[in-house]
Amino acid sequence: MIVVFVGLFGVWIALARRFDPVSISVGGLVAAGVTLLQWRLFPRVNRALLALFRRPHQLALFIGLLLWRLVASTLYTSYVILSPRPEGRIVAVPTKVSDPLGRFLLLNAITLTPSTISLLLDDDLLYVHWLRRGGSTWDWRGVKESLERRLDAIFRRSG
């Protein structure tokens, strides 16, 4: 809850760029009000957000892996587009991530990776359009499983 308040207050200060007492007071009150409202309306999301900060090293590893996948996949997608062979297919990818926020992050991480578009999340199946051949070094299993492994480490229940 404090992290949300500090984040919102920081955004207020950055956007307002004023440090007079009135502006800071209004920013603090607005940030506190939005934080309390969010905490009351979305308690389940708050627990999931805490999981992100409970294991910051795992979050950093996930972000690093995502950035690496972004660069490597961009280069591969450029190669595929410039080559004459058509590729691509829609695959149903089973996911092991059970946390809703974790699934949401997996869905968006796959979509952020060039040459992929997440289409639908249905129970434990994720439907993705993949602009890659099966069996290549850019196979969807490797991409999905590496991202999923990092997210599972973040959202794993402790205890």
Side-chain angles (χ1 to χ4, degrees):
M1 192 156 128
I2 292 172
V3 173
V4 173
F5 171 77
V6 170
L8 289 173
F9 189 64
V11 168
W12 177 276
I13 295 296
L15 293 176
R17 293 186 290 168
R18 295 178 60 191
F19 300 102
D20 58 281
V22 173
S23 181
I24 290 177
S25 299
V26 170
L29 288 173
V30 169
V34 170
T35 301
L36 290 173
L37 185 64
Q38 183 261 341
W39 194 260
R40 297 281 298 168
L41 293 176
F42 306 106
R44 210 170 146 191
V45 171
N46 296 319
R47 287 191 299 274
L49 285 173
L50 288 176
L52 288 174
F53 297 106
R54 192 173 38 232
R55 296 183 180 95
H57 60 288
Q58 294 293 344
L59 180 61
L61 288 172
F62 171 73
I63 291 170
L65 176 68
L66 181 60
L67 290 174
W68 159 247
R69 289 287 181 190
L70 218 98
V71 170
S73 186
T74 299
L75 293 173
Y76 180 76
T77 302
S78 299
Y79 167 74
V80 168
I81 290 170
L82 295 174
S83 71
R85 298 181 319 245
E87 295 187 17
R89 66 174 130 183
I90 295 177
V91 292
V93 181
T95 180
K96 298 176 206 163
V97 179
S98 59
D99 187 85
L101 182 60
R103 285 181 174 200
F104 174 76
L105 288 174
L106 177 64
L107 180 96
N108 284 295
I110 289 174
T111 298
L112 281 173
T113 306
S115 76
T116 59
I117 298 174
S118 299
L119 303 172
L120 174 69
L121 180 60
D122 185 30
D123 293 328
D124 64 341
L125 284 178
L126 174 62
Y127 294 91
V128 179
H129 179 269
W130 225 278
L131 186 64
R132 298 189 176 129
R133 286 190 313 270
S136 70
T137 55
W138 299 103
D139 191 13
W140 60 267
R141 287 176 192 89
V143 173
K144 190 267 311 183
E145 288 172 1
S146 61
L147 292 170
E148 188 175 58
R149 193 171 32 252
R150 293 289 177 208
L151 282 171
D152 190 42
I154 293 171
F155 289 101
R156 183 180 7 176
R157 301 273 186 236
S158 51

